[in-house]
Amino acid sequence: MAKKRRPQTKAAKPQFADGEVPVVGAREPCPCGSGRRYKACHGRAAAQAVTELVRRPFEGLPGECDWVALRELVPAATVPLTLKDGLPEDVPSLTLATVLPMAWPALRRGNGAVLLGLQNDTPSGDLSRDLADVLRRALTAPPGTPVAAERTTADAPRLQDLLDTEAPFVPEVHSGFEFWLEDAAGQQSPEVAASLERANSAAMPTVRLEGVEAAYWCETPEKNHLRWVMPHPEERLLDALARLHAAGASSLGEGTRLVGSFRAHGLVVPVWDLPGTMGAEECEKPAAAFVERLGEALETTVPLTAEERRARSGFTNRQVTLN
């Protein structure tokens, strides 16, 4: 005689509004009551939201172009940051830095000051959210300790939520990484000293132009370059550069050449080759004049000529995306 099967009863499902299902371990039962593991239920959408790439993570912040430059182009630079709600009483200052010793994501100095590193690997697709998470934890970290990156949630605050978007953003470019040192005496651990030596030996001399926004001159053994992060919509900017190039107006003077561009964090970065004898100061006037020519080209709406289309094709074929 067959055994009677015990009637199955469904567990009552907790009622959660969208976005309110608590985060639990990937292999634990989903809190929504579905009976499935979290990773196969609501955890799947949460993981996708966290890993989805944010194309312009610094959009809405003052100095978006400089944020991109400091993330991708500049070896050593710092910028004072201002929080919307002000600093805690035991944090005398908050500074953004391109790189920190041993590639720490953040550092709480012995005196309580906080340094936030920009050039680090991040665990999700939203660089702004990852940096904001590190920043929040650094503000309460014990003095004298580094802060590691951790995976955060898709609804965690971003830099745009924490920083004062009315405050100026003016990078100070350094010739080396001595800003890592907490005092003039230069006291540091052997590990920091070794990291400082490695960083200084690898850094290319870089200067931010004063007369235009987010343009950075750098020196290499073969030739010098100007790399200029621009805020204009990509298609319009490429059209404008093509018009100038076809008209012979895309250079920055004798011996210079617009060689192409790359894309970084949703913005286009044109690159010029410069003679080895052309320093940052010599770029100032040509760059200011180029801004005027570019402005006119950006306003032009007539279709590209055949020669301009060829120039544009040359730019796009050589374009590289860094993120």
Side-chain angles (χ1 to χ4, degrees):
M1 183 175 178
K3 293 182 179 179
K4 290 184 179 181
R5 302 183 69 179
R6 184 173 297 178
Q8 300 294 315
T9 59
K10 292 185 178 180
K13 292 185 178 181
Q15 298 298 312
F16 294 108
D18 289 344
E20 293 183 358
V21 177
V23 176
V24 297
R27 300 177 66 84
E28 295 181 36
C30 186
C32 76
S34 66
R36 291 181 291 173
R37 290 178 177 176
Y38 179 69
K39 70 176 182 179
C41 192
H42 280 82
R44 180 180 299 171
Q48 182 177 355
V50 169
T51 57
E52 184 176 355
L53 178 65
V54 175
R55 185 168 176 265
R56 288 179 62 179
F58 305 119
E59 186 176 14
L61 291 173
E64 179 188 6
C65 294
D66 280 306
W67 277 92
V68 173
L70 267 56
R71 167 73 180 184
E72 301 294 343
L73 307 178
V74 183
T78 55
V79 189
L81 296 180
T82 304
L83 296 180
K84 284 183 178 179
D85 299 328
L87 292 172
E89 291 185 1
D90 59 345
V91 179
S93 64
L94 170 60
T95 303
L96 180 72
T98 48
V99 181
L100 294 178
M102 278 80 79
W104 290 327
L107 172 65
R108 182 89 186 270
R109 290 192 188 276
N111 66 357
V114 169
L115 292 176
L116 176 66
L118 185 56
Q119 297 178 12
N120 296 294
D121 292 334
T122 52
S124 83
D126 188 346
L127 181 57
S128 176
R129 200 179 309 281
D130 291 332
L131 289 169
D133 178 67
V134 171
L135 170 56
R136 293 172 69 200
R137 290 185 289 109
L139 292 171
T140 58
T145 60
V147 179
E150 296 179 0
R151 183 171 291 277
T152 186
T153 59
D155 59 351
R158 308 177 73 237
L159 288 175
Q160 289 83 345
D161 301 316
L162 302 181
L163 299 180
D164 181 357
T165 55
E166 299 299 321
F169 187 87
V170 183
E172 179 183 358
V173 178
H174 304 278
S175 59
F177 294 86
E178 281 70 24
F179 65 85
W180 288 353
L181 307 181
E182 191 166 358
D183 54 50
Q187 297 176 358
Q188 74 264 16
S189 68
E191 293 82 4
V192 170
S195 184
L196 176 63
E197 184 177 355
R198 289 193 301 270
N200 280 340
S201 64
M204 293 189 303
T206 301
V207 177
R208 182 178 186 265
L209 299 194
E210 296 180 357
V212 296
E213 295 295 324
Y216 289 81
W217 171 94
C218 70
E219 179 184 2
T220 67
E222 295 80 19
K223 60 186 69 175
N224 298 340
H225 303 279
L226 185 71
R227 299 176 292 183
W228 195 339
V229 187
M230 296 188 170
H232 315 292
E234 181 173 339
E235 297 303 315
R236 284 183 56 206
L237 177 57
L238 291 176
D239 282 353
L241 292 174
R243 296 181 196 279
L244 294 176
H245 195 70
S250 65
S251 77
L252 298 176
E254 185 177 355
T256 72
R257 185 167 68 98
L258 175 62
V259 293
S261 65
F262 58 88
R263 186 188 298 110
H265 304 290
L267 299 182
V268 176
V269 187
V271 179
W272 284 262
D273 279 351
L274 310 173
T277 56
M278 188 174 187
E281 291 185 3
E282 288 75 28
C283 292
E284 293 285 359
K285 287 185 178 180
F290 181 83
V291 168
E292 298 295 328
R293 300 196 300 274
L294 180 63
E296 295 176 2
L298 286 167
E299 295 300 319
T300 304
T301 57
V302 298
L304 297 178
T305 66
E307 186 177 0
E308 290 167 348
R309 289 197 300 272
R310 285 193 293 271
R312 193 186 194 285
S313 178
F315 289 143
T316 57
N317 288 340
R318 296 192 300 272
Q319 192 176 54
V320 175
T321 299
L322 295 186
N323 61 299

